[in-house]
């Protein structure tokens, strides 16, 4: 292994080592305390994300098993055909520039579906409308190394909606 590859591996391992501290820090992410629903709890939640941002949704799905609400992880452009008003679209992109995620937000607005954004900045933050919920994660990490923040932000959002107990 080249010295450049060894340095990259060492850096990534040190970033992975921050997972637990990211989870702890995510309890106080900017915007999390201001989250409010437009109306009642959503019928369904669609997490529109790719990569590490989507992995958090995969991990959380099992925690909602006893709830009357489902969480679908959508790794594609647009939205599933069944998404409609009364559902919630959570657009999660660490960079804020993921094409698929931005496409989902545009489609959600066309369908008049509530949007909540989780990001560290980028176009997603810039496109968030007044009154839409926005949770901001710390930036500057490779997206795949920010799993603790992505997972923690999603857990925090679901807790604010009273969908998770003891969080």
């Amino acid at each position: 292994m080249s010295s450049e590859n060894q340095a990259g591996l060492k850096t990534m391992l040190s970033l992975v080592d921050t997972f637990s501290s990211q989870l702890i820090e995510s309890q106080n992410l900017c915007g999390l305390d201001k989250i409010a629903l437009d109306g009642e709890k959503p019928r369904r939640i669609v997490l529109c994300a790719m990569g590490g941002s989507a992995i958090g949704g995969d991990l959380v799905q099992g925690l909602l098993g006893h709830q009357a609400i489902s969480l679908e992880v959508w790794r594609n452009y647009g939205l599933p055909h069944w998404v409609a008003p009364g559902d919630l679209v959570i657009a999660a992109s660490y960079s804020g520039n993921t094409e698929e995620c931005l496409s989902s937000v545009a489609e959600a607005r066309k369908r008049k579906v509530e949007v909540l954004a989780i990001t560290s900045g980028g176009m997603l933050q810039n496109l968030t409308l007044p009154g839409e919920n926005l949770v901001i994660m710390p930036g500057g990490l490779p997206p795949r190394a920010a799993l603790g923040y992505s997972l923690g932000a999603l857990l925090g959002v679901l807790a604010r909606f009273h969908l998770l107990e003891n969080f």
Side-chain angles (χ1 to χ4, degrees), residues 77-98:
Y77 290 87
L79 290 171
H81 67 84
W82 46 261
V83 175
D87 296 331
L88 172 66
V89 168
I90 299 177
S93 167
Y94 182 75
S95 71
N97 297 317
T98 308

Side-chain angles (χ1 to χ4, degrees), residues 55-65 71 151 154-155 158 164:
I55 291 171
D58 293 335
L59 296 172
V60 168
Q61 281 178 321
L63 297 175
L64 294 175
L71 173 75
L151 174 59
L154 182 58
L155 289 169
L158 296 174
L164 292 178

Side-chain angles (χ1 to χ4, degrees), residues 128-152:
T128 302
L129 299 174
E132 284 183 336
N133 292 300
L134 172 65
V135 177
I136 302 174
M137 299 177 283
L141 296 171
R144 65 190 173 279
L147 178 59
Y149 288 125
S150 296
L151 174 59

